[in-house]
Amino acid sequence: MESSAEKRRWLRWKLQLVGMLVTVAVLLVPTGHHGAAAADRLHHGSQRSSVPAETEVLEAAIGQRINAIRAEQGLPLLVADQELARLAREHSRHMAEEEFFAHADPAGRSLVDRLQAAGISYRAAGENIFRSANVSDPVRVAVQGWMQSPGHRANILGPQFRSTGVGIWRQGNQLFFTQVFLRAP
């Protein structure tokens, strides 16, 4: 029978492998004018059918880093939830397009309001947001910043949370990150 230390080492190894795969995927994302234009068309199309590859890679990397931190603390890993990711991405888009940076939008709608409007029931919910411009490793900077903020850190290390959704939106040279944490009823 494996000890809990062996299980944590095995989990840490698997998370490092995922991290390496994410790093490789980042290297494969198109860069330069043509890659940015393609991502822009996907981001700003009237009926976006898919998420840009760059965004998916960054979103996955945030989830992986958060789960690595939780594993180190002996906490259950968060399950990625696509509906929460859609909700988070929409908040990131809204912040970018309406030029605000807050948990509540200019009309005063909060995470609770957005969850209710989406028909998502919950026992506990939390949200982390981050904005960057021209940062070479925005995932590292975002997670470091969250871990240094007591409220954001509490969300990351909250044992009550079981699922998460990460949504990122690019507007020019800025990236807007939203991560929603949830415990279903």
Side-chain angles (χ1 to χ4, degrees):
M1 179 180 274
E2 289 184 39
S3 70
S4 64
E6 289 171 326
K7 286 180 184 176
R8 280 195 300 276
R9 276 195 299 271
W10 174 247
L11 179 59
R12 213 172 281 127
W13 179 84
K14 288 193 319 191
L15 289 171
Q16 287 173 344
L17 179 61
V18 169
M20 287 186 275
L21 293 174
V22 167
T23 301
V24 169
V26 168
L27 296 174
L28 297 175
V29 172
T31 57
H33 179 19
H34 298 295
D40 214 42
R41 282 194 302 277
L42 285 171
H43 251 337
H44 301 292
S46 59
Q47 290 290 12
R48 191 180 58 174
S49 61
S50 64
V51 178
E54 173 199 26
T55 301
E56 284 184 337
V57 168
L58 293 173
E59 290 170 353
I62 287 283
Q64 185 268 333
R65 288 215 184 186
I66 297 302
N67 271 336
I69 291 167
R70 288 177 66 90
E72 289 171 3
Q73 299 299 314
L75 294 166
L77 300 184
L78 299 170
V79 175
D81 181 301
Q82 292 307 307
E83 184 62 16
L84 292 179
R86 185 199 60 74
L87 190 75
R89 198 172 299 113
E90 181 59 25
H91 186 61
S92 292
R93 183 196 62 77
H94 193 198
M95 287 191 294
E97 291 179 355
E98 298 298 320
E99 298 179 353
F100 72 96
F101 180 69
H103 293 284
D105 69 16
R109 289 181 297 262
S110 67
L111 172 61
V112 169
D113 298 316
R114 295 190 306 271
L115 288 166
Q116 288 173 346
I120 299 173
S121 300
Y122 61 93
R123 180 181 299 169
E127 177 177 75
N128 288 353
I129 59 174
F130 176 78
R131 174 179 59 191
S132 72
N134 299 320
V135 174
S136 64
D137 188 354
V139 170
R140 181 185 56 76
V141 174
V143 173
Q144 280 180 346
W146 288 337
M147 289 301 290
Q148 292 170 1
S149 162
H152 295 107
R153 181 183 178 88
N155 286 337
I156 291 169
L157 299 178
Q160 72 275 23
F161 297 127
R162 296 291 186 261
S163 58
T164 190
V166 179
I168 299 173
W169 191 265
R170 176 180 290 282
Q171 184 92 1
N173 70 342
Q174 291 189 42
L175 290 170
F176 292 80
F177 292 63
T178 303
Q179 182 171 21
V180 176
F181 300 85
L182 197 84
R183 171 86 182 246

